[in-house]
């Protein structure tokens, strides 16, 4: 019997469940079914995924398999095997990069630029991130908080400092991009930064830099004495 995804009730299809309930609601089998896209004449992608995970001993063993081993599994041809290997390798690289960032000690504005410049490539809107640091200036986590034209009404201090409290952060570095490539801070950039610095001083969570990233370089409020001034030269 040819069991196809479209033969499954819409509410139970992995892709529909992802759209309706979010990616976190999906089981390992459902996520794998979306990656595989299609099943075989005998089984849907979801059933094939269940059989695959059962045969290899669970999702933790998938990264141990190579192309030859994957294609020996019934229903997994070369195209599906290549797709699986690509997804597995990409997830490894993401995990490695996240681990590197989270262990990173921020020692300069240039270091911020080097580590974060790639996330702004080909972005046509402004994106505002906050890097949350511990007492030793090591990255706890970074968060994308806002998209769009940045101003004081869009970037609300409540969201910036709420995350800091949740992460027990001691200080914050703000980053955003200028899609135009112009690195000069706008009046809105300066007003927003001044407001965040002021509130941070009241709350005891310091804004130690605001880095603007463009196509050819960066602008640091700290390096240009727009944060802290002469009395704050040893923050980074």
């Amino acid at each position: 019997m040819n069991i196809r995804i479209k033969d499954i009730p819409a509410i139970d299809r992995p892709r529909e469940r992802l759209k309706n309930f979010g990616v976190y609601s999906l089981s390992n089998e459902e996520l794998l079914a979306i990656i595989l896209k299609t099943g075989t004449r005998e089984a849907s992608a979801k059933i094939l995924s269940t059989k695959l995970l059962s045969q290899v001993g669970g999702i933790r063993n998938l990264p141990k398999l190579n192309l030859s081993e994957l294609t020996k599994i019934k229903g997994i041809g070369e195209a599906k095997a290549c797709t699986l290997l690509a997804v597995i390798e990409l997830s490894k690289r993401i995990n490695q990069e996240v681990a590197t960032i989270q262990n990173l000690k921020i020692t300069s504005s240039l270091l911020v630029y080097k580590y974060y410049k790639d996330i702004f490539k080909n972005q046509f809107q402004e994106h505002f991130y906050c890097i949350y640091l511990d007492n030793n200036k090591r990255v706890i986590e970074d968060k994308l908080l806002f998209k769009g034209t940045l101003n004081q009404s869009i970037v609300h201090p409540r969201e910036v400092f709420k995350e800091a409290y949740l992460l027990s952060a001691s200080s914050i570095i703000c980053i955003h991009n200028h899609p135009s490539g112009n690195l000069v801070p706008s009046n809105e950039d300066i007003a927003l930064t001044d407001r965040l610095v002021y509130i941070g001083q009241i709350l005891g969570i310091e804004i130690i830099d605001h880095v603007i990233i463009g196509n050819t370089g960066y602008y640091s409020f700290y390096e240009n004495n727009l944060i802290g001034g002469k009395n704050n030269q040893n923050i980074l």
Side-chain angles (χ1 to χ4, degrees), residues 57-69:
I59 195 170
R60 67 182 178 276
N61 290 322
L62 273 180
K64 301 176 184 178
L65 303 179
N66 57 34
L67 182 64
S68 175
E69 291 168 330

Side-chain angles (χ1 to χ4, degrees), residues 73-187:
I73 298 172
K74 186 177 180 180
I76 304 297
E78 189 173 271
K80 282 184 170 60
C82 287
T83 300
L84 281 172
L85 290 173
V87 170
I88 290 167
E89 179 60 27
L90 184 61
S91 69
K92 287 180 183 177
R93 296 183 188 186
I94 291 171
N95 288 335
Q96 288 170 355
E97 186 163 329
V98 168
T100 300
I101 290 295
Q102 288 181 337
N103 289 323
L104 180 67
K105 183 172 183 177
I106 301 295
T107 56
S108 69
S109 305
L110 177 60
L111 190 62
V112 172
Y113 170 68
K114 286 182 176 179
Y115 270 86
Y116 286 90
K117 62 180 179 178
D118 288 342
I119 66 175
F120 295 113
K121 283 184 177 178
N122 303 316
Q123 297 289 356
F124 300 104
Q125 281 186 309
E126 292 188 29
H127 288 60
F128 183 89
Y129 284 79
C130 283
I131 309 172
Y132 295 97
L133 308 174
D134 65 15
N135 287 324
N136 296 313
K137 300 297 184 292
R138 292 191 181 276
V139 176
I140 301 171
E141 196 167 334
D142 53 47
K143 295 273 188 179
L144 171 62
L145 296 183
F146 305 98
K147 293 181 185 179
T149 302
L150 299 188
N151 56 53
Q152 294 185 70
S153 63
I154 292 178
V155 180
H156 200 287
R158 178 178 59 246
E159 300 303 320
V160 172
F161 291 102
K162 179 185 77 174
E163 295 293 341
Y165 276 112
L166 291 173
L167 295 168
S168 298
S170 297
S171 56
I172 303 169
I173 295 175
C174 302
I175 322 172
H176 84 277
N177 62 317
H178 279 182
S180 66
N182 182 3
L183 294 174
V184 177
S186 66
N187 291 334

